[in-house]
Amino acid sequence: MKRQFVAIVVIFTIGLLANAVQANAQNKIGYISLQELVANMPEYKKAQGDMQEYQKALVQQGNDYQQAFIDKQKTYVVDSLKLSAAVKEVKRKELNDLYVKWTNFVNQEAQQMMNQHEQELLAPIQDKAVTTSQAVAKENGYAYILPKEQLIAFPSADDILPLVYKKLNITPAKDAAPAAPAEAPKKN
C-alpha cells in the first residue's frame, strides 16, 4: 500500500513537472524595436514627407501673419498724423491684436498643429507595426513580446524584428542597425 502511494506521488510529480516544462515551452518571450520597425516602414517615409510639407505651410502662414503685421504697422505710422485720437486707439488695438495673433501662432498654435498632424499621420503606422508584430508573435509561438528599448540584456535569437520585416516585405536600411558600442580607450 505504501509502495502504491509512493508510486502515485512520483507519477503525480512527474506529471506536474511535464506540465511545467510544457507550459514553459509555450511561453516563449521575444522582443522587438518598434522604433526601428516604424522607421523602416514605407508609410513612415511618406509621412515624413507629408510632415515636411505641412511644416513649410505652417512657416508660410507665420510669415504671412508677420508680413500683415509689418504692413499694418507701416500704414499706421504713416497715417497716424492724420488720424483722430479715437481712430488711432482703434488702429492701435487692431495692430496689437494682429501682433498677438502672429506671436501666438508662431509660439504655440503652429507647434500644436504640427504635433496633432504628426499624431494623425503616425497613429495608423504605429498600429500597423503593433498589429503585425502581434500576428508574427502568434504565428511563431511567442507568448510575450517586449520592447527592445527597455531591455538591458537579451539574446539575439528572440528578436522578432526580422520576422516582422519579412511579413511586411520590408528590406531594412543598412544604417538602421543599432550602432555597436564604442570601445573604451586602452591604457598604456
Side-chain angles (χ1 to χ4, degrees), residues 170-183:
I170 295 174
T171 303
K174 294 189 189 273
D175 62 345
E183 289 186 35

Side-chain angles (χ1 to χ4, degrees), residues 27 37 46 61 74 87 112 123 139 146 153 159 170 178 184:
N27 288 331
L37 173 60
K46 181 186 180 311
Q61 182 65 46
K74 285 178 183 176
V87 174
Q112 290 171 347
E139 291 166 7
L146 305 171
D159 186 358
I170 295 174

